Amino acid sequence: MKNLMVFFMAFMLLGIGVYEAYRQKRKTRVLEEILRFVSLIKSEINYRATDMENLLKTAQKQNYYYICFDNSQVKIHDCCDAKVKNEFVNFLSRIGTTDTWGQIALCDEFLTLFSELLDERKQNEKSKIQVNTALSVLSALCVIIFS
């Protein structure tokens, strides 16, 4: 029975490390999806001069996992950082409020911002995943060895 409990504890600690790595990667995927969304908005405005209603219809046809469309509202999944969520809401509140060139400039501004956040996130993700994985494996080994 003791061996079973030790095995369960070690497996649980490994599972926690894998879950933390998954959470880190998911935050990166959210930023990548936001970049795709903003790029689509920019392209639609730039090449079609599309209004906000048609922009949302076009965006709804895309295969977004972390961005949800509810009638005329756009929402982001809760798994992202507060800073990313606030900037995304800021982008959505400002898009469609100026002329075509102002909207394109706004899209460029937020593409730059989200690209910088993504680069920063990827750098942090790599180190966090390595640390989480190492700690979970070490913890699991300690449980096995000292039990």
Side-chain angles (χ1 to χ4, degrees):
M1 187 68 170
K2 181 181 175 185
N3 290 339
L4 183 62
M5 289 299 289
V6 168
F7 175 75
F8 178 72
M9 285 290 293
F11 189 72
M12 186 177 71
L13 289 169
L14 287 172
I16 290 170
V18 169
Y19 177 71
E20 283 300 314
Y22 167 75
R23 283 185 50 211
Q24 296 299 323
K25 287 194 174 289
R26 187 170 62 173
K27 289 179 181 183
T28 302
R29 280 189 236 121
V30 169
L31 272 168
E32 291 170 345
E33 191 165 285
I34 289 172
L35 278 171
R36 283 191 307 129
F37 178 78
V38 175
S39 294
L40 173 72
I41 298 294
K42 180 184 175 190
S43 297
E44 289 295 312
I45 291 170
N46 197 17
Y47 297 113
R48 294 186 183 181
T50 308
D51 62 350
M52 200 59 194
E53 184 179 320
N54 288 329
L55 278 174
L56 293 178
K57 285 180 183 177
T58 303
Q60 282 178 330
K61 293 176 185 175
Q62 302 298 312
N63 190 18
Y64 293 115
Y65 186 77
Y66 299 105
I67 298 174
C68 305
F69 300 92
D70 184 25
N71 296 328
S72 62
Q73 291 185 334
V74 181
K75 297 179 182 177
I76 188 94
H77 196 275
D78 290 335
C79 68
C80 66
D81 297 329
K83 181 179 180 181
V84 172
K85 193 171 195 172
N86 290 339
E87 292 298 341
F88 187 70
V89 168
N90 184 20
F91 170 73
L92 292 174
S93 67
R94 292 174 58 192
I95 198 72
T97 58
T98 61
D99 65 341
T100 302
W101 296 112
Q103 291 181 37
I104 291 170
L106 180 69
C107 289
D108 285 335
E109 174 187 337
F110 278 92
L111 280 171
T112 303
L113 173 71
F114 288 126
S115 293
E116 289 171 359
L117 288 173
L118 180 62
D119 291 340
E120 181 181 312
R121 178 87 207 129
K122 282 184 177 180
Q123 290 174 353
N124 290 338
E125 174 192 280
K126 186 176 181 180
S127 63
K128 285 182 180 181
I129 287 175
Q130 288 174 345
V131 169
N132 286 335
T133 304
L135 284 175
S136 66
V137 168
L138 182 63
S139 299
L141 287 175
C142 286
V143 165
I144 291 171
I145 290 171
F146 295 115
S147 295

